[in-house]
């Protein structure tokens, strides 16, 4: 079963990771199922698990996090990101001051190290407040999308009961569904039923 099918069939499942961009996957931590909103972040641990799935957090970095505050700030960042992305999609520039607060709190420094092959790699070491360190890379992904993204490729699933977002990286840029296995098939089934009922009527 795909992530998207799980999202449609089981509201308690993990959020689908099908946005092809961290900012899109952030928006997709809230979905819709049979006309009702599905909230995937109901606790700070839900946010932590999502950050770990995205490669942003680890058990080590999350040791001293206030989980209630992480949940509150995570949902606030998602709400802000959705507003800014929708405004940018509509050709407007939203109020970026709130996003800058997340970015300014995300403190990191260049760090030179050797990888497993013995080669030098330049990474960044995170410093500062734990929640800012966890949410900072997500806020940065939203900022990078706003600056560098091609907003003709920032899309929402076309199924009327779906609100999931994705960045269309397909070669022809004609992706219509969050997942062909779920919403694409639901659309095909609905079209088939419509044609069938037209024939019998």
């Amino acid at each position: 079963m795909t992530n998207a099918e799980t999202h449609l069939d089981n509201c308690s499942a993990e959020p689908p990771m099908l946005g092809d961009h961290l900012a899109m996957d952030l928006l997709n931590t809230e979905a819709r199922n049979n006309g009702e909103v599905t909230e995937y972040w109901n606790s700070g641990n839900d946010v932590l698990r999502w950050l770990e799935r995205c490669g942003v957090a680890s058990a080590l970095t999350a040791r001293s996090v206030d989980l209630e505050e992480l949940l509150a700030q995570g949902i606030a960042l998602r709400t802000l990101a959705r507003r800014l992305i929708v405004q940018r999609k509509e050709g407007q520039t939203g109020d970026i001051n709130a996003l800058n607060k997340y970015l300014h709190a995300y403190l990191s420094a260049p760090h030179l190290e050797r990888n497993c092959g013995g080669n030098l790699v330049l990474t960044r070491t995170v410093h500062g407040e734990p929640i800012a360190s966890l949410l900072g890379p997500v806020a940065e992904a939203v900022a990078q999308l706003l600056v560098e993204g091609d907003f003709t490729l920032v899309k929402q699933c076309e199924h009327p009961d779906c609100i999931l977002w994705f960045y269309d990286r397909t070669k022809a840029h004609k992706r219509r569904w969050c997942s062909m296995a779920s919403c694409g098939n639901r659309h095909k089934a609905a079209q088939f039923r419509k044609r069938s009922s037209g024939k019998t009527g």
Side-chain angles (χ1 to χ4, degrees):
M1 182 177 284
T2 67
N3 282 332
E5 286 171 311
T6 302
H7 142 67
L8 293 167
D9 296 337
N10 184 357
C11 294
S12 65
E14 296 287 333
M17 304 295 278
L18 43 74
D20 284 324
H21 193 288
L22 183 55
M24 303 287 92
D25 285 329
L26 170 64
L27 302 190
N28 294 343
T29 59
E30 188 176 59
R32 189 164 59 205
N33 188 25
N34 295 323
E36 294 184 5
V37 172
T38 301
E39 174 60 75
Y40 290 106
W41 283 356
N42 297 294
S43 71
N45 280 321
D46 291 340
V47 181
L48 270 182
R49 277 195 304 274
W50 181 82
L51 291 167
E52 288 170 3
R53 286 177 71 202
C54 295
V56 171
S58 67
L60 184 64
T61 59
R63 277 185 309 190
S64 57
V65 173
D66 179 334
L67 292 174
E68 286 187 18
E69 185 62 20
L70 177 62
L71 176 63
Q73 287 198 36
I75 289 175
L77 176 58
R78 181 183 67 195
T79 301
L80 171 63
R82 181 179 290 112
R83 184 171 70 246
L84 290 172
I85 289 167
V86 168
Q87 288 172 328
R88 179 74 172 77
K89 182 83 176 150
E90 294 171 349
Q92 304 167 17
T93 303
D95 183 358
I96 57 174
N97 290 326
L99 186 60
N100 274 329
K101 288 180 183 175
Y102 284 92
L103 297 172
H104 296 169
Y106 177 43
L107 305 177
S108 64
H111 178 71
L112 192 63
E113 62 186 20
R114 294 189 185 277
N115 63 16
C116 56
N119 299 315
L120 290 175
V121 290
L122 187 61
T123 62
R124 295 197 75 83
T125 301
V126 176
H127 303 282
E129 195 270 323
I131 291 177
S133 299
L134 289 168
L135 295 179
V138 184
E140 189 170 359
V142 174
Q144 286 173 335
L145 178 71
L146 294 172
V147 172
E148 302 167 2
D150 179 346
F151 270 72
T152 64
L153 306 181
V154 173
K155 302 177 181 179
Q156 261 188 304
C157 180
E158 291 185 16
H159 195 282
D161 189 43
C162 186
I163 58 172
L164 296 182
W165 291 78
F166 56 88
Y167 196 90
D168 185 359
R169 299 185 191 276
T170 61
K171 192 170 183 180
H173 302 311
K174 293 188 177 177
R175 181 176 169 187
R176 300 176 60 195
W177 316 108
C178 62
S179 167
M180 193 62 215
S182 60
C183 285
N185 280 342
R186 286 202 296 168
H187 173 75
K188 283 164 64 176
Q191 292 298 102
F192 177 77
R193 285 193 301 272
K194 189 174 175 183
R195 285 193 302 271
S196 298
S197 63
K199 288 175 184 175
T200 58

